[in-house]
Amino acid sequence: MDDNTNTDSVSLRHRTHQIFEIEHHGLARFINSVLMLLIAITVIIVFVETMPQVRSEYTSWFIWFEYFSIALFSIEYIARLWSAAEIDPEQPWRSRWRYAKSPLALIDLLAVAPFYLGLFIQLDTRYLRVVRLLRIFKLTRYSHSLSMLFQVLKNELPGIISALSILIILIVFASAGIYLVEREAQPEVFGSIPQAIWWATITLTTVGYGDVVPITFAGKVLGIVITIMGIGIAALPAGIIASGFTTEMQNRRDEFRAKLMASLSDGKLTHDELRDIERLRISLGLSLKESKALIRLAGTGHITHCPHCGKDISLHP
Amino acid sequence: MDDNTNTDSVSLRHRTHQIFEIEHHGLARFINSVLMLLIAITVIIVFVETMPQVRSEYTSWFIWFEYFSIALFSIEYIARLWSAAEIDPEQPWRSRWRYAKSPLALIDLLAVAPFYLGLFIQLDTRYLRVVRLLRIFKLTRYSHSLSMLFQVLKNELPGIISALSILIILIVFASAGIYLVEREAQPEVFGSIPQAIWWATITLTTVGYGDVVPITFAGKVLGIVITIMGIGIAALPAGIIASGFTTEMQNRRDEFRAKLMASLSDGKLTHDELRDIERLRISLGLSLKESKALIRLAGTGHITHCPHCGKDISLHP
Amino acid sequence: MDDNTNTDSVSLRHRTHQIFEIEHHGLARFINSVLMLLIAITVIIVFVETMPQVRSEYTSWFIWFEYFSIALFSIEYIARLWSAAEIDPEQPWRSRWRYAKSPLALIDLLAVAPFYLGLFIQLDTRYLRVVRLLRIFKLTRYSHSLSMLFQVLKNELPGIISALSILIILIVFASAGIYLVEREAQPEVFGSIPQAIWWATITLTTVGYGDVVPITFAGKVLGIVITIMGIGIAALPAGIIASGFTTEMQNRRDEFRAKLMASLSDGKLTHDELRDIERLRISLGLSLKESKALIRLAGTGHITHCPHCGKDISLHP
Amino acid sequence: MDDNTNTDSVSLRHRTHQIFEIEHHGLARFINSVLMLLIAITVIIVFVETMPQVRSEYTSWFIWFEYFSIALFSIEYIARLWSAAEIDPEQPWRSRWRYAKSPLALIDLLAVAPFYLGLFIQLDTRYLRVVRLLRIFKLTRYSHSLSMLFQVLKNELPGIISALSILIILIVFASAGIYLVEREAQPEVFGSIPQAIWWATITLTTVGYGDVVPITFAGKVLGIVITIMGIGIAALPAGIIASGFTTEMQNRRDEFRAKLMASLSDGKLTHDELRDIERLRISLGLSLKESKALIRLAGTGHITHCPHCGKDISLHP
């Protein structure tokens, strides 16, 4: 199979690549909708299948649906992998190998692999069924709004890990403390530090089931101190993520303005430049209102506004 | 009924429009207060009506009050709709139709429609009673402070939906996980994944009722992991909304400054301009202190402060 | 008693004013410490007095301590009121009347008034005892760090009220909803909407006692929706307050820089100006590090840094 | 022992100092890994030792491991203290004394001191075991990401203390209030104010165990008010910390830019300067992307970008 000689095959490959990776309307939209629907139905089936009355009645339907989805997901995976050659048509196999190693491709593989693996090896069917839930990650491909969230979480990872370290250290001391003061009053739930971890975690996270509660005076005093610390523990990630979003939004706005100014440097804005700017705006998740305010400057002949923040600078003496 | 020929009718219509949509004092204020009181009493009646001892004793009073409020709300709706012609006196019916489709008018219609519908169709009275609670949304008409909150929530909608997606994905995996490890120990509450969703949601949202709690070692380990994730889940919307408020406040201040500078461009500030600026300040929810600091610049003859942030720039060499 | 003629009295009055309102060391510090200790002991006594075994044994001690604190607080109140004449020595009684109406003076009055009132009118002693807890508000006089917190809460009041309105609307609908779906399964806790308010509030605030929990399928589905909304409800005030702090800190830094630049406008910084700047820094709650970086500019002869943000501007061509 | 004459000893001392305090690879890395592993195993042993079945079986192993870790930690402490002379070789003993008083050295001492103390004085072995958990603080030495978190918490300490004061005042009034309304209905849990503190704290922190719950009408009304206040209480630290992170990140970026501009002032960037900038970037926790954007300016011969924010300023007329 020589990808570069057969023109028809290449042309079909190009079309396939367009549909799966580039376009967002028509046939591409329809295929994506079908795949998303399959994933949603799969999750529902995995869930209701665990109800005995449902399983006994609909098992055969579920099996047929599973064969059907595996078939479609397999075709999707092969089509995406085959058409990945279009990324760099000069090196089709290298492009494919690169694509196959990308997180999105691995998630697609994970969606079908357990089924094929189950044909060769004897796997616990109960766990195999639940493994189908991993297909839910295929949905991340279609979500543009998740990208900023993941970017922020990635940027703030060191802070989040620090907050987690503090939580773990507090759990260690809370467990040891409650063990020392409550072990005699309630040996069945605070009889050892590992047992006490359950209470410490449920309390520090402010979940507070109430299945295990200190009853001694010292235990209640310690409980009060720990619940108050729990508020602080919940505040740390909220503060870190809030700061992360503010920073990321600022960075994105700066990037958009820089690109806009580069297009404006010759004093006018071509139709192509406008389309590029619009694409950037969408990919950065900025509002149309902000974008418009900046573009309006282009019509004034000369720049009378600060190129960085869009504020009027013509008032300066 | 020709709205444009009869002068008296047009004059009354103009007055009605003033009272309901423009003015905020005198008769307008009194009418609004009466309507708000009616809504508050309606909510209280819907609530206490569900108590058997209250219902048996006061039913007739409640029915008379309902007739009375329906009458007033109907008059209000008709008066607003009729006087909406004033928005564009040239096209009275078009103005009314436009108004009738606005969210505020639809809420007003929803407040009275179930009653009139109930005259023609047989409706379940118990649900009909609770539907009266929808009148509470009429109060949003009177709240200026809610507008910024809704603006921020609208701006940050993609982020909030992303956070919700992550929460749902975590609920899916937490439910499946706890089902796998706890189904044999507690088949009555973790016997199927749909049953386990209850525990997963109550835990991830840190509500923690404690009616369902893992008891096995593996279940408790999973519970600890999930409660810790719950802190992160609560942090996401807090972070998104905090960043949204910071951004929205910045945008509003920039808008106010831009308008102020436009008025200042001729070196002086007329009384009309001052009134416009004051209106803008109120609608943007900025503090009087900040506004005053910026307006003070107008008296200096020439601008000695940075037009962007109002800081003194005359110190520069 | 003519305040302006007797020199000794005026001199003593001046000294009293200094000790109570101006100074923060020596005798002033000692008096403040004694008063704070009295308040702390009062709170502890109010608390332990409600324990029958403590009350029966120490009642006489508690009564004597109460007489002693009332005496000291009364002297404090009279001394502050009398020396308030120093605020404007020309109009001693007007200064006192103004002071008497200030929140701090009213709190001081509230600390002793119930005792004197109890001498004339027959009051419920149990409530009278708890009223002594109001003395805790006297402590706000000594806390500088609370001022910024209160400032932010005051600035963000409209937003906080909006968030509260949304919470109340959600409680109204959650109560009505759970009443409709759970009233037949659990009539004893969801038998009327007012009863259902308890569950709705405990759930939306993510407290989750677990004393009342939905048991029907529809009730659990509604419960899941409401707990998820609860996360959003908790995120609103966190976001509003975070944004408020960021804004307030920015405003305070701008104010400090403006004052510093005014002192720097003649090219040097006198000792008096430095002391004024240091006072402003403390009152604004800025860090010494930031203040120092800005003051260092004064020594360079000419300003080579942006006066607003302290960044080097000498690199510009 | 004269530290300055024996060349071999000084050379070894220099090498020891390098390994323990300066280097981050090779032998230094190996030693740090071993010490971290020892701490982790110690925590696990302290935890599982409290389980009777584990203690009876592995006691001798645990004792031997304890002797082994004490030996290594002692050697580490002595080596660090001895080589601290390298900080200022002119004043070896003064350098050591200064180091011995540093928080990190005190934590190291605390890790071994209880063991040696136990040799001379009779200590409660159960508490002595748990004291070994303090060794977990030795891990803070190795965490760079915790530094920013601690810096923010330190900066925002006044705000956090204020939030804590408000929480304590609310607990005081909530306890007194619930005592007044519930003491007759539930004397066993609300019979005195000190008892009521438990419920007030668990409710205001939104933990909500549900072991103590108001049952009277007045108690539930008060409970609703207090749970709603609980949301605000949780929002305060989240808001304070979010604002603190935003401010700290801004300060660190400003510091990095100032240093970068100082290096750029002669128009070029030497290799040494680049290395210094990279070190600063890591110590400030900034991203490589941001650093690169700023450094790129150095190659342009003359500065065409704003030195403060790295944005292109050559577009200005």
Side-chain angles (χ1 to χ4, degrees):
Chain A
M1 181 169 142
D2 187 354
D3 290 294
N4 284 318
T5 48
N6 186 327
T7 325
D8 275 5
S9 158
V10 169
S11 165
L12 176 66
R13 203 179 71 186
H14 181 74
R15 185 83 194 93
T16 309
H17 186 65
Q18 288 286 320
I19 286 170
F20 277 109
E21 307 289 348
I22 313 291
E23 287 176 17
H24 291 296
H25 52 264
L27 184 59
R29 196 182 197 128
F30 174 74
I31 290 176
N32 284 343
S33 303
V34 168
L35 292 174
M36 286 171 83
L37 192 69
L38 278 189
I39 296 164
I41 296 174
T42 302
V43 170
I44 292 167
I45 287 179
V46 172
F47 271 42
V48 298
E49 226 179 21
T50 60
M51 300 163 81
Q53 65 277 34
V54 173
R55 187 165 47 223
S56 59
E57 206 165 336
Y58 298 98
T59 305
S60 60
W61 286 93
F62 292 160
I63 289 171
W64 282 112
F65 179 81
E66 179 62 9
Y67 287 157
F68 177 67
S69 9
I70 283 289
L72 286 193
F73 288 142
S74 303
I75 292 168
E76 182 207 2
Y77 181 73
I78 290 164
R80 280 186 195 275
L81 191 65
W82 173 61
S83 68
E86 291 292 316
I87 298 164
D88 179 2
E90 298 298 310
Q91 301 181 305
W93 288 106
R94 198 167 165 189
S95 297
R96 281 173 191 146
W97 175 234
R98 279 208 180 156
Y99 172 75
K101 290 185 302 179
S102 73
L104 285 176
L106 289 174
I107 286 171
D108 283 353
L109 186 60
L110 206 65
V112 294
F115 175 85
Y116 293 113
L117 219 69
L119 297 182
F120 301 106
I121 314 165
Q122 188 62 34
L123 294 172
D124 182 339
T125 55
R126 205 185 281 268
Y127 282 87
L128 205 61
R129 268 184 209 129
V130 173
V131 162
R132 280 179 286 156
L133 285 178
L134 294 173
R135 286 176 203 166
I136 211 170
F137 286 116
K138 281 174 72 84
L139 291 173
T140 56
R141 185 190 291 273
Y142 306 112
S143 168
H144 293 287
S145 56
L146 274 172
S147 88
M148 180 161 172
L149 198 56
F150 285 139
Q151 185 64 44
V152 168
L153 292 177
K154 200 177 141 196
N155 290 350
E156 304 301 322
L157 200 62
I160 292 168
I161 289 171
S162 299
L164 202 63
S165 311
I166 291 182
L167 173 61
I168 289 169
I169 290 176
L170 281 180
I171 290 176
V172 163
F173 283 101
S175 311
I178 201 74
Y179 159 76
L180 287 178
V181 299
E182 284 278 327
R183 67 175 187 275
E184 270 155 36
Q186 300 189 74
E188 71 290 351
V189 287
F190 293 118
S192 71
I193 300 183
Q195 272 180 292
I197 292 174
W198 177 246
W199 174 83
T201 311
I202 296 307
T203 300
L204 273 166
T205 55
T206 78
V207 168
Y209 285 132
D211 57 337
V212 186
V213 171
I215 53 171
T216 65
F217 178 74
K220 289 196 174 190
V221 170
L222 190 69
I224 285 170
V225 172
I226 288 168
T227 52
I228 290 173
M229 278 173 170
I231 294 181
I233 277 299
L236 284 183
I240 291 166
I241 289 168
S243 162
F245 267 99
T246 305
T247 304
E248 180 68 18
M249 278 307 293
Q250 196 55 49
N251 288 347
R252 288 180 176 218
R253 264 185 222 108
D254 285 354
E255 190 182 336
F256 181 71
R257 279 160 183 162
K259 287 268 168 72
L260 185 59
M261 282 308 117
S263 307
L264 279 170
S265 60
D266 56 355
K268 52 193 168 190
L269 211 55
T270 66
H271 189 75
D272 277 10
E273 284 174 342
L274 263 178
R275 210 187 41 204
D276 286 356
I277 285 168
E278 181 60 15
R279 261 192 212 149
L280 182 67
R281 186 190 71 77
I282 291 167
S283 78
L284 292 178
L286 297 177
S287 74
L288 195 62
K289 197 172 140 196
E290 190 166 19
S291 163
K292 268 183 184 162
L294 286 164
I295 293 170
R296 207 177 300 134
L297 303 178
T300 60
H302 70 285
I303 292 175
T304 58
H305 291 70
C306 167
H308 308 321
C309 50
K311 292 170 202 158
D312 197 332
I313 55 174
S314 57
L315 298 172
H316 279 288
Chain B
M1 183 169 140
D2 187 354
D3 291 296
N4 285 318
T5 50
N6 185 326
T7 327
D8 275 6
S9 158
V10 169
S11 166
L12 176 66
R13 202 179 72 186
H14 181 74
R15 184 84 193 91
T16 309
H17 187 64
Q18 287 286 319
I19 285 171
F20 278 110
E21 307 290 346
I22 313 290
E23 286 176 18
H24 290 295
H25 53 265
L27 185 59
R29 195 182 198 129
F30 173 75
I31 291 176
N32 285 343
S33 303
V34 168
L35 292 174
M36 286 171 82
L37 193 68
L38 278 188
I39 296 164
I41 296 174
T42 302
V43 170
I44 292 167
I45 287 179
V46 172
F47 270 43
V48 298
E49 227 180 17
T50 61
M51 299 163 82
Q53 65 277 34
V54 174
R55 188 165 45 222
S56 57
E57 205 165 338
Y58 298 98
T59 306
S60 60
W61 286 93
F62 292 160
I63 289 172
W64 282 113
F65 179 82
E66 179 62 10
Y67 288 156
F68 178 66
S69 7
I70 284 290
L72 285 193
F73 288 142
S74 303
I75 292 168
E76 183 207 0
Y77 181 73
I78 291 164
R80 280 186 196 273
L81 191 65
W82 173 61
S83 68
E86 291 293 315
I87 297 164
D88 179 2
E90 299 297 310
Q91 300 182 308
W93 289 105
R94 199 168 165 187
S95 297
R96 281 172 191 146
W97 175 236
R98 279 207 181 155
Y99 172 76
K101 290 185 302 180
S102 73
L104 284 177
L106 289 175
I107 286 170
D108 283 353
L109 186 60
L110 207 64
V112 293
F115 174 84
Y116 292 112
L117 219 70
L119 297 182
F120 301 106
I121 315 164
Q122 188 63 34
L123 294 171
D124 181 340
T125 54
R126 205 185 283 267
Y127 282 88
L128 205 61
R129 267 185 211 129
V130 174
V131 161
R132 279 180 287 156
L133 286 178
L134 295 173
R135 286 176 204 167
I136 211 170
F137 286 116
K138 280 173 73 85
L139 291 173
T140 56
R141 185 190 292 273
Y142 307 111
S143 167
H144 294 286
S145 56
L146 274 173
S147 88
M148 182 162 170
L149 198 57
F150 285 139
Q151 184 63 45
V152 168
L153 291 177
K154 200 178 142 196
N155 290 350
E156 304 301 323
L157 200 62
I160 293 167
I161 289 172
S162 299
L164 201 64
S165 311
I166 291 182
L167 173 61
I168 288 170
I169 290 176
L170 281 180
I171 289 176
V172 163
F173 283 100
S175 310
I178 202 75
Y179 159 76
L180 287 178
V181 298
E182 283 277 327
R183 68 175 186 275
E184 270 155 36
Q186 300 189 75
E188 71 290 350
V189 287
F190 293 118
S192 71
I193 299 184
Q195 273 180 290
I197 292 174
W198 176 246
W199 174 84
T201 311
I202 296 307
T203 300
L204 272 166
T205 56
T206 77
V207 169
Y209 285 133
D211 58 337
V212 186
V213 171
I215 52 171
T216 64
F217 178 74
K220 289 196 172 189
V221 170
L222 190 68
I224 286 170
V225 172
I226 289 168
T227 53
I228 290 174
M229 278 174 171
I231 295 181
I233 277 298
L236 283 183
I240 290 166
I241 289 167
S243 162
F245 267 98
T246 305
T247 303
E248 180 68 18
M249 278 307 294
Q250 196 55 50
N251 287 347
R252 288 180 176 220
R253 265 186 222 109
D254 285 356
E255 191 182 335
F256 182 71
R257 280 161 183 163
K259 287 269 168 72
L260 186 59
M261 282 307 118
S263 307
L264 279 170
S265 61
D266 56 355
K268 51 193 169 191
L269 211 55
T270 66
H271 189 76
D272 276 11
E273 284 173 342
L274 263 178
R275 209 187 42 206
D276 286 357
I277 285 167
E278 181 60 14
R279 260 192 213 149
L280 182 67
R281 187 190 70 76
I282 291 166
S283 78
L284 292 179
L286 296 178
S287 74
L288 196 62
K289 199 172 140 196
E290 189 166 19
S291 163
K292 268 183 184 161
L294 286 163
I295 292 169
R296 206 177 300 133
L297 303 178
T300 60
H302 70 285
I303 292 174
T304 57
H305 291 70
C306 168
H308 308 322
C309 50
K311 293 171 203 157
D312 197 333
I313 55 173
S314 58
L315 299 172
H316 280 287
Chain C
M1 183 168 140
D2 188 354
D3 291 295
N4 285 318
T5 49
N6 185 327
T7 326
D8 275 5
S9 158
V10 169
S11 166
L12 176 66
R13 201 179 72 187
H14 181 74
R15 184 83 194 93
T16 309
H17 186 65
Q18 289 286 319
I19 286 170
F20 277 110
E21 307 290 347
I22 313 290
E23 286 176 19
H24 291 295
H25 52 266
L27 185 59
R29 196 181 197 129
F30 174 75
I31 291 177
N32 285 343
S33 303
V34 168
L35 293 173
M36 287 172 82
L37 193 68
L38 279 188
I39 297 164
I41 296 174
T42 302
V43 170
I44 292 166
I45 286 179
V46 172
F47 270 43
V48 297
E49 227 180 18
T50 60
M51 299 163 81
Q53 66 277 34
V54 174
R55 189 165 45 221
S56 58
E57 204 165 337
Y58 298 99
T59 305
S60 60
W61 287 93
F62 292 161
I63 289 171
W64 282 113
F65 179 81
E66 179 62 9
Y67 287 156
F68 177 66
S69 6
I70 284 290
L72 285 193
F73 288 142
S74 303
I75 293 168
E76 182 207 1
Y77 181 74
I78 291 164
R80 280 187 196 273
L81 192 65
W82 173 62
S83 68
E86 290 293 315
I87 297 163
D88 179 1
E90 299 297 310
Q91 301 183 307
W93 288 107
R94 199 169 165 187
S95 297
R96 281 171 191 148
W97 175 237
R98 279 206 181 157
Y99 172 76
K101 289 185 302 180
S102 73
L104 284 177
L106 290 175
I107 286 170
D108 283 354
L109 187 60
L110 205 65
V112 293
F115 175 84
Y116 292 113
L117 219 69
L119 297 182
F120 300 106
I121 314 166
Q122 188 63 35
L123 294 171
D124 182 340
T125 53
R126 206 185 282 267
Y127 283 87
L128 206 61
R129 266 186 212 127
V130 173
V131 162
R132 279 179 288 156
L133 286 178
L134 295 173
R135 286 177 204 166
I136 211 170
F137 286 116
K138 280 173 72 83
L139 290 173
T140 56
R141 186 190 290 273
Y142 307 112
S143 167
H144 294 286
S145 57
L146 273 173
S147 89
M148 182 163 171
L149 198 56
F150 285 139
Q151 184 64 45
V152 169
L153 291 177
K154 200 178 141 196
N155 291 350
E156 304 301 323
L157 201 62
I160 292 168
I161 289 172
S162 299
L164 202 62
S165 311
I166 291 182
L167 173 61
I168 288 170
I169 290 176
L170 281 180
I171 289 175
V172 164
F173 284 100
S175 310
I178 201 77
Y179 160 76
L180 287 178
V181 298
E182 283 277 326
R183 67 177 187 275
E184 271 156 35
Q186 300 189 76
E188 71 290 349
V189 287
F190 292 118
S192 71
I193 300 184
Q195 273 181 292
I197 292 174
W198 176 246
W199 174 83
T201 312
I202 297 307
T203 300
L204 272 166
T205 55
T206 78
V207 168
Y209 285 132
D211 58 336
V212 186
V213 171
I215 53 170
T216 65
F217 178 74
K220 288 196 173 191
V221 169
L222 189 68
I224 285 170
V225 172
I226 289 168
T227 52
I228 290 173
M229 278 174 171
I231 294 181
I233 277 298
L236 283 183
I240 291 166
I241 290 168
S243 163
F245 267 100
T246 305
T247 304
E248 180 68 17
M249 277 308 292
Q250 195 56 47
N251 288 346
R252 288 180 175 219
R253 263 185 223 110
D254 285 355
E255 190 182 336
F256 182 71
R257 279 159 183 165
K259 288 269 168 71
L260 185 60
M261 281 308 118
S263 307
L264 279 170
S265 60
D266 57 355
K268 52 192 169 191
L269 212 56
T270 66
H271 189 76
D272 277 10
E273 285 173 341
L274 262 178
R275 211 188 41 205
D276 287 356
I277 285 168
E278 181 60 14
R279 262 193 212 148
L280 182 68
R281 185 189 73 75
I282 291 167
S283 79
L284 292 178
L286 297 178
S287 74
L288 195 62
K289 198 172 139 197
E290 190 166 20
S291 163
K292 268 183 184 162
L294 285 163
I295 293 169
R296 206 177 301 133
L297 304 177
T300 60
H302 68 286
I303 293 173
T304 57
H305 290 70
C306 168
H308 307 321
C309 49
K311 293 170 201 159
D312 196 334
I313 55 172
S314 58
L315 299 171
H316 280 287
Chain D
M1 182 170 143
D2 188 353
D3 291 294
N4 284 318
T5 48
N6 185 327
T7 326
D8 275 5
S9 158
V10 169
S11 164
L12 177 65
R13 202 178 73 186
H14 181 75
R15 185 83 194 93
T16 310
H17 186 65
Q18 289 286 318
I19 286 170
F20 277 110
E21 308 290 348
I22 312 290
E23 286 176 19
H24 291 295
H25 53 264
L27 185 58
R29 197 184 196 127
F30 175 75
I31 291 176
N32 285 343
S33 304
V34 168
L35 293 173
M36 288 171 81
L37 193 68
L38 278 188
I39 296 164
I41 296 174
T42 302
V43 170
I44 292 167
I45 286 178
V46 172
F47 270 43
V48 297
E49 226 179 20
T50 61
M51 301 163 81
Q53 65 277 33
V54 174
R55 189 165 46 222
S56 58
E57 205 165 338
Y58 298 98
T59 304
S60 60
W61 286 92
F62 292 160
I63 289 172
W64 282 113
F65 179 82
E66 178 63 9
Y67 287 156
F68 177 67
S69 6
I70 283 290
L72 285 193
F73 288 142
S74 303
I75 292 168
E76 182 207 1
Y77 181 73
I78 290 164
R80 279 186 196 274
L81 191 65
W82 173 61
S83 68
E86 290 292 316
I87 297 163
D88 179 2
E90 299 298 310
Q91 300 182 307
W93 287 106
R94 199 168 163 189
S95 298
R96 279 170 193 149
W97 176 236
R98 279 206 179 160
Y99 173 76
K101 290 185 301 180
S102 73
L104 284 177
L106 289 175
I107 287 171
D108 283 354
L109 187 60
L110 205 66
V112 293
F115 175 84
Y116 292 114
L117 220 69
L119 297 182
F120 300 106
I121 313 166
Q122 188 62 35
L123 294 171
D124 182 339
T125 54
R126 206 185 280 267
Y127 282 87
L128 206 62
R129 268 186 209 128
V130 173
V131 162
R132 279 179 286 156
L133 285 178
L134 294 173
R135 286 177 203 166
I136 210 170
F137 287 115
K138 280 172 73 84
L139 291 173
T140 55
R141 185 191 291 274
Y142 307 111
S143 168
H144 293 287
S145 57
L146 274 173
S147 89
M148 181 162 171
L149 198 57
F150 285 140
Q151 184 64 46
V152 168
L153 291 177
K154 200 178 141 196
N155 290 350
E156 304 301 324
L157 201 61
I160 292 167
I161 288 171
S162 299
L164 202 62
S165 311
I166 291 183
L167 173 61
I168 288 169
I169 290 176
L170 281 180
I171 289 175
V172 164
F173 284 101
S175 310
I178 201 75
Y179 159 76
L180 287 178
V181 298
E182 284 277 327
R183 67 175 187 276
E184 271 155 35
Q186 300 189 76
E188 71 290 350
V189 287
F190 292 118
S192 72
I193 301 184
Q195 272 180 291
I197 292 174
W198 176 247
W199 173 83
T201 312
I202 296 308
T203 299
L204 272 165
T205 55
T206 77
V207 168
Y209 285 133
D211 58 336
V212 186
V213 171
I215 53 171
T216 65
F217 177 74
K220 289 196 173 189
V221 170
L222 190 68
I224 286 170
V225 172
I226 289 168
T227 51
I228 291 173
M229 278 174 172
I231 294 181
I233 278 297
L236 283 182
I240 292 166
I241 289 168
S243 162
F245 267 100
T246 305
T247 303
E248 180 69 18
M249 277 309 292
Q250 196 56 48
N251 288 346
R252 288 180 176 218
R253 265 186 221 108
D254 285 355
E255 190 182 336
F256 182 70
R257 280 160 182 163
K259 287 269 168 71
L260 186 59
M261 282 308 118
S263 307
L264 280 170
S265 60
D266 57 353
K268 52 193 170 190
L269 211 55
T270 66
H271 189 75
D272 276 10
E273 284 174 340
L274 263 178
R275 210 187 43 204
D276 286 356
I277 286 168
E278 181 61 13
R279 262 193 211 149
L280 183 66
R281 186 189 73 76
I282 291 168
S283 79
L284 292 178
L286 297 177
S287 73
L288 195 61
K289 199 172 140 196
E290 189 165 19
S291 163
K292 268 184 184 162
L294 285 163
I295 292 170
R296 208 177 299 133
L297 304 178
T300 61
H302 69 285
I303 293 175
T304 57
H305 290 70
C306 167
H308 307 323
C309 49
K311 293 170 202 156
D312 196 332
I313 55 171
S314 58
L315 299 172
H316 280 287

